[in-house]
Amino acid sequence: MLRVPRTFILSLAARPLLLIWLLTVLIAPGVIAQKIALSVDASKAGAKIDRNIFGQFAEHLGHGVYEGIWVGPDSTIPNTRGIRNDVVAALKALKVPNVRWPGGCFADEYHWRKGIGPADRRAISLNPNWGGVIEPNTFGTNEFLDFIDQIGSEAYISVNVGSGTPQEAADWLEYMTTAQPTTLAKERAANGHPAPYKIAYLGIGNESWDCGGNMTPDYYLDQLKIYSRFVRNFNPAQQDRQPMLKIAVGPGGDGPRWTEWTEAIMKAYQSHTWSWDMSGLSMHNYTVVKWPPSYTSVDFGEAEYAQILKSTLEMEGLVSKYSAIMDKYDPQKKVALVVDEWGGWYAPLPGSNPGFLVQQNSLRDAILAALNLNIFARHADRVRMANIAQMINVLQAMIITDKEKMVLTPTYYAFRMYVPFQDAISVPLAFDSGTYARGETSLPRVDAIAAKDKNGKLWLALTNLDPNSRAEMQVSLQGVQAKSATGETLTAPKVDSVNTFASPNTVAPKPFSAQAQGGKLALNLEPKSLTVVSIEQ
Ligand code: AHR
């Protein structure tokens, strides 16, 4: 909101000055600054920000897997066993904690046996959900788990509840996890992997209330109990170290239908017996404003920027609402809220296959990502896992590829800047966010989180949503003697600035530093920016 000094309005003599002030604000945005006091109490500790909230989602959809990850061993694009080297190197820098695969809606039509064995004998099937294109099945179980290994992540496998059977899913888990010489383990060995794989997370269905089979809560609950009982990690050594976490389908939006669904699953959990269990409840929430997605991912102005950010902040209300329902049935917070699909969903880029969900990724998306990660961090006691949709070439991607070319998106950089927050301990902070308004849309001007990493270093992540004003954060710290702050800041000339193959560094982080004076820090945030710093003592 533009705040006009009252004295200017009242005094006729001041009118020329008022004109100059207005011209400065309107013609040269960014020159004014808003002072915001922020206090951090580093002597106090909150919940751990689970590294799994920085998880990713890779579905067989468009060029997400084929071309994005998999080019095949005979490709001229540099690869290791068919998996692109450039993509692996980029993802390693994100320390991706887990990858959800093979879907999404695709998961409830996926039959794993089609994707194992010699490449030339794999079944060729269809992908009816996503453009009705050919699914060559050349990227299957062994290839996905090789990819997980190459990027140093963990597997979150979504099993087929909609059109599969519990036996099919149990066999898949046995194929992947057993250390005993069963027929399925021998088949795995014949396919090049004698050692059992580790499966850390299991999704039991996807959106079972819709593309996963249009089930009622009661019907899904019956399936959940059966799958939870029989689809096991068959490797006791892995179970001892970390039991495989089983994630049930949860709500997909706001409204009575989702409340009823969440109540039903959590009520059943409350009275579950030894023979079935769940450790997570999924929640899906995309930033769309209204369906079908009509906002564009390129060439938009400040009004759309503000509306999309307003819409993304609805995540806060949803997380609070479903956490409250979960608290009723699970006050000890044993079940995690797993936001395993989130992100901006825009109109498909003109000329692209609408079934491939192709969109660009702008500075707005980096800010959108930071706002959501902050919400998850503030609810770290319940939100212990999340998966942005999706990893490569689909929706709010980290990476965009075209044949041999690859470009890192603004969202990629937001995730890279947030790496220090993985498994860090939240530190309480207080600030008056102020207001940034564009037309009828009003938003907090700034957002921030603080946390200590495992070495005790204090980190701050600060977002200035206002595209017209700098934010001068006056940071006072308790529990640390700050000398300086160093880190990175991410901004760009415009809210819709993007990285392209021709111009890959339009939105890229730059070094940021500030010296403390009298133990206080003045952090000068650029308009429409994201800044992550560590505090040096
Ligand atoms: O991410 C794209 C799709 O959105 C997923 O397949 C589905 O689960 C959701 O509706």
Side-chain angles (χ1 to χ4, degrees), residues 57 59 104-105 130 206-207 284 286 341 345 357 390 395:
F57 173 33
E59 179 166 15
C105 297
W130 304 118
N206 169 75
E207 299 193 351
H284 291 180
Y286 286 96
E341 286 189 31
W345 189 328
L357 311 186
Q390 298 192 4
L395 298 177

Side-chain angles (χ1 to χ4, degrees), residues 328-356:
K328 250 194 322 182
Y329 301 103
D330 171 33
Q332 291 177 301
K333 298 186 194 290
K334 288 187 176 161
V335 179
L337 183 58
V338 176
V339 189
D340 53 10
E341 286 189 31
W342 67 274
W345 189 328
Y346 309 116
L349 280 184
S352 66
N353 182 335
F356 284 11

Side-chain angles (χ1 to χ4, degrees), residues 340-406:
D340 53 10
E341 286 189 31
W342 67 274
W345 189 328
Y346 309 116
L349 280 184
S352 66
N353 182 335
F356 284 11
L357 311 186
V358 179
Q359 60 190 45
Q360 244 296 2
N361 196 293
S362 65
L363 175 65
R364 178 179 65 185
D365 293 300
I367 292 177
L368 182 156
L371 295 176
N372 281 280
L373 293 171
N374 292 354
I375 292 168
F376 303 152
R378 279 193 280 270
H379 290 269
D381 56 347
R382 181 64 85 175
V383 180
R384 300 196 287 270
M385 190 155 159
N387 301 73
I388 189 168
Q390 298 192 4
M391 196 176 226
I392 305 161
N393 292 333
V394 177
L395 298 177
Q396 191 176 342
M398 305 290 121
I399 294 173
I400 297 174
T401 65
D402 182 14
K403 301 188 181 68
E404 76 291 352
K405 290 179 280 189
M406 178 189 90

Side-chain angles (χ1 to χ4, degrees), residues 81-94:
R81 296 180 292 280
I83 294 163
R84 325 178 44 131
N85 294 344
D86 53 355
V87 163
V88 167
L91 291 173
K92 271 179 158 175
L94 296 189

